[in-house]
Amino acid sequence: MRYLHTMVRVKDLDAALDFYCRGLGLFEVRRTVSEKGRFTLVFLAAPLDSATATVNGGDRAAPHVELTYNWPDENGKVEDYAGGRNFGHLAYEVDDIYAACQHLMDMGVVINRPPRDGNMAFVRSPDGISVELLQKGAPKAPQEPWASMPNTGSW
């Protein structure tokens, strides 16, 4: 397992980038814009991680901070993240997403978002912290019981 990133939701992407980049000195590693999902993801790294923060052969060595900007709704309203909901999740890359989820289920952990796609799952810590598990490399072929397992709760 390898630690990948921590996700933080932001209400104003420009203000957040000013703080994290100009203020803290982090730099942008990559950006994903999803028209369909109506969000922008910006991954940042620390200056001393510059040699290992970029994608090298599909393998990132340095952890990132992921800024998630959810676009305003059709009425122009931006969600207000009260009560710490701006903290999103921890993310870990695993060698085998199905084995990792089975191990957690065997321990009594609820798989909130099963790895139906063979690539991504979400669970929660005993304190309610959302943890994303991502398959290392290419997604695994969908298989049961995961492929038909519904979401449970929130993540």
Side-chain angles (χ1 to χ4, degrees):
M1 179 186 302
R2 184 168 52 126
Y3 179 70
L4 295 177
H5 65 261
T6 299
M7 186 268 268
V8 177
R9 291 180 183 91
V10 299
K11 288 174 32 174
D12 181 331
L13 185 57
D14 291 333
L17 286 170
D18 186 56
F19 171 78
Y20 286 99
C21 295
R22 193 170 62 89
L24 296 180
L26 302 183
F27 66 96
E28 186 171 327
V29 174
R30 74 179 192 280
R31 182 181 293 233
T32 301
V33 176
S34 174
E35 294 282 337
K36 183 179 177 185
R38 300 188 45 77
F39 62 83
T40 301
L41 308 178
V42 179
F43 291 84
L44 306 174
L48 292 179
D49 289 328
S50 63
T52 57
T54 58
V55 177
N56 293 325
D59 198 20
R60 278 190 318 264
H64 297 140
V65 170
E66 172 192 339
L67 302 181
T68 297
Y69 172 66
N70 294 309
W71 300 355
D73 66 15
E74 59 279 350
N75 299 316
K77 186 174 188 290
V78 176
E79 184 176 352
D80 187 20
Y81 303 112
R85 207 175 104 57
N86 58 323
F87 173 78
H89 60 262
L90 302 174
Y92 291 92
E93 178 181 75
V94 296
D95 289 332
D96 183 330
I97 191 113
Y98 296 137
C101 287
Q102 187 62 57
H103 173 72
L104 289 165
M105 275 184 52
D106 291 347
M107 292 177 52
V109 174
V110 172
I111 308 300
N112 300 105
R113 195 282 191 188
R116 290 183 293 273
D117 55 4
N119 186 56
M120 177 181 67
F122 277 89
V123 297
R124 285 196 172 273
S125 76
D127 296 303
I129 300 298
S130 186
V131 178
E132 179 181 20
L133 303 174
L134 292 165
Q135 173 63 42
K136 182 178 182 178
K140 292 188 163 288
Q143 68 182 45
E144 294 299 339
W146 315 106
S148 60
M149 190 180 287
N151 293 339
T152 303
S154 63
W155 58 87

